Structure formats: C-alpha cells, structure tokens
C-alpha cells in the first residue's frame, strides 16, 4: 500500500513538473471530447424537444376510430384497464352530440359539440375539476368567447327533437366550471359528463330521461352500446401497439404513427452517427495517448529503473503511466465541460431564437457528464496499457549503469 501511495505521489509530481507536455495531452483530449459533447448535446436537445412536443400534445397520442362500431361497457372497461391506455371514454352519434347554449351576456344562441369527459382527460390536463353531473360543463375557449361567459357563470342549455309529430325543446341550467385552454381545440365544444351525453342522445332518439324528467318512450334495454370512443395512449411509444391490437379486433383506426415513427427514426439515426464519430475519436485519441505514454516511458527508463532498483515491483511501476493518464482524463474532461457549457449558452441564446424555438436547442443532463467522465477514464486507462506494458519490461539493472 505504501508503494502505491508513493507511485501516486511521484506520478503526480512528475506530471505537474512537465506541465507543458501534460497541458498538450489535456488540450488534445478536450479537443476530441468537447466537440462530441456539443454534438451529443444538440442531438439530445433537438430529439428531446421533438419528443416532448409529441408527448405533451395529447392529439399525437389519440387513436381515432374510423366509422361507426358497436362497443359496450365491458369493451370500454377492458381497454381502460390496460397499462398502455391513459384515457378512454365512449362517444355517441355525432348528430346526437350537439347542444344549444345561451348566456345572458350574448344575444346569439351557440350550437356546440358535446364531448364526454372525466378525471384524467389529457385534453383537460390543466383543469382541476370535471363535470360529474348533468349541470356542469367545461367550455372550449372558442365557445366561451362567443357566449361571453367566464368561469363559475351559469348558462342555459337546450335540446330539440321531433317527437310524435311535435317539435319539443327542453332546457337545462348548467354551470361553467372551467374554460379549456385555447390549444385544446378551436371548435365550439362543451365538455360534459358521460351521463349528459347519453341523456342527449336518448332525448333526440325519442326516449325518456327519467333523471331529468324528460318524457319519451321507455328505454328498451339496460345494456348500452356506443358507436365510437375517444382513446389516448399512455405514451407515444404505445400508440403503434394499440393500433395493431385494435385492428386485430376489426376496429379501423387512425393515429399519428408515421410522425411518431419519423421522430424515433431521427433519434436512432442521430445516435448511430454520434456513436460512429465518438468511436472514431476515442480510438484515435487512445492510440495517440498510448503512443505518447509509450514514448514518455522510453524517455524515463532511467528514472523508472531506479524505482525498480529501490524495491518497487513491476505491478506498481505499471501504475505510473496509468495514473498519469487518469490525471489527463479528469483534467481534459473538466476543460471539455467548460468549453461545452460555453457553446451551449451561445447556441441556446443566439441560435434557438432564430429557429423560433422556445426550448433549449442544446443541453445535457448531469448523468451525461458523469457518463462522459467514466468513458474518458476507461479510454485513458486502456491507452495507458501500452505505456504500462513498456514500463513493466524495465529491469533494475538498467538503473545501475547510470549510477
């Protein structure tokens, strides 16, 4: 142990004594490592931004059924319980999913599309409350502006139908509990409970809604069949599998599979390009550092042989160039990080605004810097094996000739 600590001390003193040569090694390493960090920062920043934009926009995770089908509550619950499904809720016929809205602030009567919603709806991620009965609604930004209403105000909702030769209209007071963000939809949409959506369809089909005292024919069956649904995958990576599973069940759907695949392909191809460049740089630096350490050992054969002469074992002598390569790795990594941070600031401050990006174009996480340090040390130690093998072959007798 004493010999090892002595080798550490002697290798560092020799390394700092020859600071010019050591500085050249550090600059050589940082000139290889810094561009790779900048390249990986750009790759990680660009792809991460693209993926976040895809993930944050729930429309990219939506799987839309094409046409009309027959889906009962058991089918809906089966998909709701899947780990790769974030949200699913039934939809009624489009012609039945409309309602007329009137406020005291606006003169016009607005015809709005009804969409059922519930807690966990990705479209309403910013909402803290959801309609849980017949008398609550979340309006889209467009509908709220046209009705000139704000949160917590009450409006009048009405439905009309032709029943038994007579035109009937029912009214329902509802409270605006929230207004959806403008990015959710540009249409006039009223997000309501599933119960109100079903009640609207029943009323327009001439059936009674006992909870609201709306007359009509009695409901024929307790089993509910829905013609469509609104489904969102847990992640963009789950979309393709869900599409395949639905199509296997005979459900025709459409989703942004092509766009998601494009981003994933960009990520994969950029990763391949980065690792090719990184491997070429690492191999080139390994040979360069290894050759330099080999030459350094040759230049110090006398000093190293004297260490052998005073009792240092071959295994300890081998550690002399290894420790010096570790010093180069750590200091070169530190310099490369400083260079990277400077270029990261310049890229994000000057280039990102020109590309109309509101996110960082280039950035790395803490673990990326630690991975870079670990790989740099591994490469440096691997390169030092050449010098270490050369040092191990030095005999103590070589030092005697110079005494």
């Amino acid at each position: 142990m004493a010999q090892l600590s002595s080798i550490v001390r002697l290798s560092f003193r020799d390394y700092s004594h020859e600071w010019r040569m050591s500085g050249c090694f550090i600059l050589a390493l940082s000139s290889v490592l810094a561009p790779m960090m900048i390249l990986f920062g750009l790759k990680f920043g660009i792809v991460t931004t693209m993926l976040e934009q895809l993930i944050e926009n729930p429309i990219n995770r939506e799987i839309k059924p094409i046409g009309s089908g027959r889906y009962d509550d058991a089918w809906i619950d089966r998909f709701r319980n899947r780990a790769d499904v974030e949200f699913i809720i039934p939809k009624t016929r489009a012609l039945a999913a409309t309602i007329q809205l009137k406020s005291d602030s606006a003169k016009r009567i607005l015809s709005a599309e009804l969409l059922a919603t519930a807690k966990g709806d990705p479209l309403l991620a910013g909402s803290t409350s959801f309609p849980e009965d017949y008398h609550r609604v979340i309006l889209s930004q467009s509908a709220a502006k046209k009705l000139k209403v704000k949160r917590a105000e009450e409006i009048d909702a009405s439905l009309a139908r032709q029943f038994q030769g007579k035109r009937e209209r029912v009214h329902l007071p509802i409270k605006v509990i929230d207004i959806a963000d403008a990015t959710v939809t540009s249409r006039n949409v009223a997000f309501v409970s599933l119960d109100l959506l079903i009640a609207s369809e029943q009323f327009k089909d001439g059936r009674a809604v006992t909870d609201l005292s709306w007359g009509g024919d009695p409901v024929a069956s307790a089993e509910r069949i829905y013609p469509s649904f609104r489904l969102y995958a847990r992640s963009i990576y789950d979309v393709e599998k869900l599409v395949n599973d639905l199509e296997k069940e005979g459900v025709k759907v459409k989703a942004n599979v092509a766009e998601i695949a494009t981003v994933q392909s960009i990520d994969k191809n950029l990763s391949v390009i980065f690792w090719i460049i990184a491997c070429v740089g690492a191999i080139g630096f390994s040979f360069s550092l290894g050759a330099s350490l080999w030459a350094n050992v040759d230049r110090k054969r006398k000093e190293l042989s004297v260490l052998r002469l005073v009792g240092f074992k071959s295994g300890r002598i081998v550690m002399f160039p290894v420790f010096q390569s570790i010093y180069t790795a750590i200091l070169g990594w530190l310099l490369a990080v400083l260079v990277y941070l400077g270029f990261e600031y310049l890229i994000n401050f000057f280039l990102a605004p020109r590309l109309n990006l509101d996110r960082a174009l280039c950035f790395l996480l803490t673990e990326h810097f630690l991975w870079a340090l670990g790989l740099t040390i591994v490469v440096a130690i691997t390169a030092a094996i050449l010098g270490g093998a050369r040092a191990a072959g030095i005999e103590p007798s070589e030092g005697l000739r110079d005494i």
Side-chain angles (χ1 to χ4, degrees), residues 74-91:
W75 190 93
I76 297 292
D77 289 338
R78 179 160 57 87
F79 272 85
R80 182 179 288 123
N81 294 329
R82 287 181 54 145
D84 52 0
V85 173
E86 180 179 5
F87 183 80
I88 182 172
I89 198 163
K91 291 176 69 176

Side-chain angles (χ1 to χ4, degrees), residues 37 40 44 333 363-373:
M37 293 178 70
F40 186 75
F44 183 75
W333 172 81
F363 68 93
L364 292 176
L365 304 177
T366 302
E367 51 263 37
H368 294 148
F369 292 109
L370 297 178
W371 271 104
L373 175 60

Side-chain angles (χ1 to χ4, degrees), residues 302-323:
K302 181 179 71 174
E303 289 81 358
L304 293 175
S305 65
V306 171
L307 291 178
R308 289 293 312 279
L309 188 63
V310 297
F312 282 87
K313 298 179 181 179
S314 298
R316 298 292 183 262
I317 299 298
V318 169
M319 299 304 294
F320 193 89
V322 170
F323 280 122

